[in-house]
Amino acid sequence: MSELLWQKIGAEQDAYMTIDSKGTPFAGGGLSASLRDLGRIGQLMLNEGEFNNSRIFPKSVVKNIKQGGDKQVFSKAGYKSLSGGSYRSMWWMLHNEHEAFAARGVHGQTIYIDPTANMVIVRFASYPTAKNAQIDPTSLPAYQALAEYLIKQK
């Protein structure tokens, strides 16, 4: 990860991954990184694999992720605040008019990307329970409102 990604985006600090008892990184969570470095990841995704005029990975990777998963299957999970959304490759697709998508931690941590507003938001959080559904009714509209504001400033 250091050679293929972290060094290429000019990360300011080391990142840490939770590992299991055999030393295998837990890819489904457990990444610990600085706010600014997570912002770099968001910018990399916003720019479809390009960072500081350097191609880190093919555009097709992000385009595939942004297609999202099966909306019908996703709807059965009951995420009321993500109605019409989907999940694919560790990213949550909102399928809204801005094509926004996010990486989300269970305690509110977020990398929120809004391509229409050309916006990346990184949020550190430590909500006491693992329930984004309790945070989403305020955070998702706030992200959308910020995106709308930025679009009006253009």
Side-chain angles (χ1 to χ4, degrees):
M1 185 171 160
S2 177
E3 291 175 12
L4 296 175
L5 181 64
W6 225 237
Q7 291 175 25
K8 291 181 179 182
I9 63 170
E12 294 176 3
Q13 297 180 17
D14 290 342
Y16 299 92
M17 290 288 300
T18 301
I19 58 172
D20 66 16
S21 62
K22 295 186 186 228
T24 303
F26 179 60
L31 174 67
S32 179
S34 74
L35 189 77
R36 290 171 57 95
D37 290 339
L38 292 174
R40 287 176 170 85
I41 296 295
Q43 195 66 44
L44 177 65
M45 294 298 288
L46 177 68
N47 294 336
E48 298 182 322
E50 190 172 301
F51 192 84
N52 286 341
N53 299 315
S54 179
R55 173 73 43 204
I56 308 299
F57 52 78
K59 282 184 179 187
S60 60
V61 171
V62 178
K63 288 185 180 196
N64 180 282
I65 290 169
K66 287 171 65 175
Q67 289 175 2
D70 187 322
K71 290 182 188 181
Q72 290 180 336
V73 171
F74 186 82
S75 69
K76 293 176 185 176
Y79 293 105
K80 293 176 185 167
S81 58
L82 295 172
S83 179
S86 71
Y87 184 76
R88 184 182 189 101
S89 299
M90 310 303 278
W91 291 89
W92 301 78
M93 304 295 118
L94 278 71
H95 297 291
N96 62 13
E97 64 275 9
H98 290 199
E99 300 179 6
F101 59 107
R104 298 159 37 104
V106 296
H107 294 280
Q109 315 91 309
T110 306
I111 302 173
Y112 185 91
I113 301 161
D114 186 315
T116 302
N118 196 33
M119 176 184 84
V120 173
I121 296 173
V122 177
R123 174 185 176 185
F124 278 167
S126 58
Y127 195 74
T129 56
K131 299 234 181 222
N132 274 315
Q134 294 176 354
I135 304 167
D136 287 346
T138 54
S139 61
L140 294 178
Y143 302 155
Q144 182 70 29
L146 182 55
E148 296 294 337
Y149 174 81
L150 291 174
I151 289 169
K152 289 178 185 175
Q153 302 308 305
K154 290 182 183 181

